[in-house]
Amino acid sequence: MTAPQCEVAVIVPVHNAAAFLPDCLRALAAQTFAGFCCILVDDGSTDASAALCDEAARCDGRFCALHQPQSGVAAARTAGVRRALALGARWLAFCDADDQYHPAFLAALHAAARASGLPLACCRYDTFAEAPPAEAPAPQSWQVLAAPQHLDALLHDHAVDYGLWNKLYSAALLTPAMLDNGLAYNEDLLANWQAFLAAPGCAFCDFAGYHYRQHAASATHRALPPQSIDDQRRAAALIRAGVPAQWPALQQSANAFYYEKLVYLASMILRRADAGAYRAQLGELTIGIAAGLRDRQLGRNPRLPRSIRLAAWATVHTPKLWQRVCRTFLKDRQ
């Protein structure tokens, strides 16, 4: 059974998520917004995920299942968007297979986007391990983040964040080309940057509409391969180079974001026991950090947090001590 035409299409990339997918599907089925369909994209799963997707499609006409060889999350999302466009969806939303929506997620963001006349809406998210926090009522109002404020918020405001999953996009705004951008890591950040650039602003709903599950295999806890360092640096560099000339304050914001990313990536390497495997990446990062220490656009940028300035100085001038600090206190992604 295929899903009918819908106002909002929710795309869920699925890869070996059988342990958490039933909870995700129940939260989607419980949405108070009536006019949605859900496109489950099984990305070469080897567990029971494919069967769970097919079962959801059999039992609920709002769901449909696609199956493809394992191609990565960006390719899965892109396939889902193409199906959504074929179904005539006017709006697009995303959900990771181990996470959950607030029951009013779609209704609140759709209402905010429509009433504000903006092609983009967003809400906060929270995190959980076993069960999501108690649901608070969705607000009846929203805040408009007008350009370029919404772009600055994308880079620096964790309430907005750079994930695709706590947002609603006009189907005319977020294109398959934005999603399939050649990155395996921070692909969502770059896609959002391009979509936000094309939007005159964002409607922000101040409630935790998205519940982000934390577990040992989740993306925020997995140790990342060397390619992740290269991809994240490339995404930050493309953002820094892509600021429209009419927004000098946003350029300062993007410069700070880029330099903070260099320092963060260096700390990710230094905290690892196998840091030697990242020797080339660490060398390049350290050169960039050292070159930026006295640069008013980078290491002396007023938008840069003091903690990042200190970490940048320590990375360059006391690398062995800083490595011990990173390994002692930065336990995640080791």
Side-chain angles (χ1 to χ4, degrees):
M1 181 182 296
T2 58
Q5 288 194 346
C6 56
E7 175 75 3
V8 177
V10 181
I11 291 96
V12 183
V14 181
H15 178 71
N16 291 346
F20 306 115
L21 184 57
D23 289 341
C24 175
L25 295 175
R26 278 191 289 271
L28 287 165
Q31 287 298 292
T32 60
F33 184 78
F36 84 94
C37 62
C38 178
I39 301 168
L40 304 168
V41 186
D42 167 41
D43 187 45
S45 295
T46 56
D47 65 358
S49 295
L52 289 170
C53 291
D54 289 337
E55 180 67 14
R58 280 193 296 268
C59 294
D60 191 328
R62 297 172 296 177
F63 290 75
C64 71
L66 304 180
H67 301 277
Q68 65 181 30
Q70 185 178 356
S71 305
V73 66
R77 289 183 183 130
T78 303
V81 167
R82 290 198 174 103
R83 173 59 68 88
L85 295 175
L87 292 171
R90 296 183 177 90
W91 298 88
L92 303 172
F94 299 87
C95 184
D96 285 353
D98 49 357
D99 298 337
Q100 298 179 38
Y101 277 173
H102 183 291
F105 174 85
L106 292 177
L109 268 61
H110 184 265
R114 289 291 302 275
S116 66
L118 293 170
L120 182 62
C122 175
C123 68
R124 289 188 289 106
Y125 70 95
D126 56 23
T127 61
F128 72 102
E130 299 299 328
E135 305 279 17
Q140 300 300 308
S141 60
W142 52 87
Q143 174 187 1
V144 171
L145 304 176
Q149 182 186 5
H150 70 313
L151 286 153
D152 184 77
L154 176 68
L155 299 181
H156 298 287
D157 188 344
H158 290 296
V160 173
D161 199 75
Y162 60 76
L164 293 162
W165 26 255
N166 62 331
K167 301 173 179 68
L168 181 72
Y169 307 85
S170 164
L173 176 69
L174 187 68
T175 67
M178 290 177 182
L179 292 169
D180 193 11
N181 53 35
L183 298 182
Y185 302 90
N186 271 190
E187 79 292 337
D188 45 359
L189 166 62
L190 185 57
N192 264 320
W193 175 257
Q194 293 170 338
F196 274 54
L197 274 176
C202 175
F204 178 73
C205 300
D206 191 12
F207 82 116
Y210 190 88
H211 306 311
Y212 189 1
R213 187 190 296 268
Q214 301 288 291
H215 57 91
S218 63
T220 53
H221 292 285
R222 289 196 301 266
L224 298 177
Q227 182 192 350
S228 72
I229 306 296
D230 300 332
D231 278 2
Q232 291 187 63
R233 186 178 180 186
R234 181 183 170 201
L238 288 170
I239 287 170
R240 185 187 182 200
V243 176
Q246 69 266 31
W247 292 329
L250 183 62
Q251 185 65 67
Q252 183 182 65
S253 172
N255 290 341
F257 177 81
Y258 172 77
Y259 195 70
E260 184 168 354
K261 179 68 78 171
L262 297 185
V263 176
Y264 165 71
L265 292 175
S267 79
M268 282 183 59
I269 294 173
L270 291 172
R271 75 186 71 176
R272 295 179 58 85
D274 62 344
Y278 299 77
R279 186 176 294 107
Q281 286 88 352
L282 181 59
E284 292 173 357
L285 290 167
T286 303
I287 289 171
I289 294 168
L293 281 177
R294 297 185 178 278
D295 190 332
R296 293 184 180 276
Q297 295 297 317
L298 297 173
R300 292 193 173 184
N301 189 316
R303 290 295 305 272
L304 203 66
R306 186 169 183 270
S307 60
I308 300 299
R309 297 186 192 192
L310 292 172
W313 187 92
T315 302
V316 174
H317 294 291
T318 59
K320 291 184 178 180
L321 174 61
W322 182 236
Q323 183 173 43
R324 286 199 293 271
V325 171
C326 290
R327 290 187 179 180
T328 302
F329 296 103
L330 304 179
K331 298 294 187 181
D332 203 16
R333 293 196 187 276
Q334 286 192 356

